[in-house]
Amino acid sequence: FSASNTFCQGSSTFLSASATVLMASPTINYFWSPPSGLNTTFGQFVIANPSVNTVYTVTAILGGCSGTSTIAVFPLPSPTLSI
């Protein structure tokens, strides 16, 4: 995984997954869940903008084999200012 686990609420973080395969030019399909706060649920790269702490799961599939991993992201609340 590659990502910033914390970010300011209202902004987003870029998540990417990569699989290690000992083959030439494999076609790997990536599926992300839950869909809440994601710009897409398919692909190696997604943009997450959840409004609450969220654990995302990505599953990589190559032929009949698959692997799964998770990452937690934490949107930080914006500070409230008083004047």
Side-chain angles (χ1 to χ4, degrees):
F1 270 111
S2 175
S4 173
N5 288 42
T6 59
F7 59 98
C8 294
Q9 199 169 39
S11 63
S12 58
T13 187
F14 181 76
L15 306 177
S16 71
S18 62
T20 302
V21 179
L22 302 176
M23 294 174 54
S25 301
T27 300
I28 300 173
N29 294 307
Y30 296 90
F31 300 94
W32 296 80
S33 65
S36 177
L38 295 178
N39 68 322
T40 183
T41 58
F42 179 77
Q44 184 176 2
F45 307 102
V46 299
I47 298 172
N49 182 16
S51 58
V52 296
N53 296 347
T54 305
V55 176
Y56 289 108
T57 300
V58 61
T59 301
I61 299 174
L62 174 61
C65 300
S66 66
T68 301
S69 190
T70 60
I71 187 168
V73 294
F74 308 98
L76 302 174
S78 299
T80 301
L81 300 177
S82 298
I83 299 179

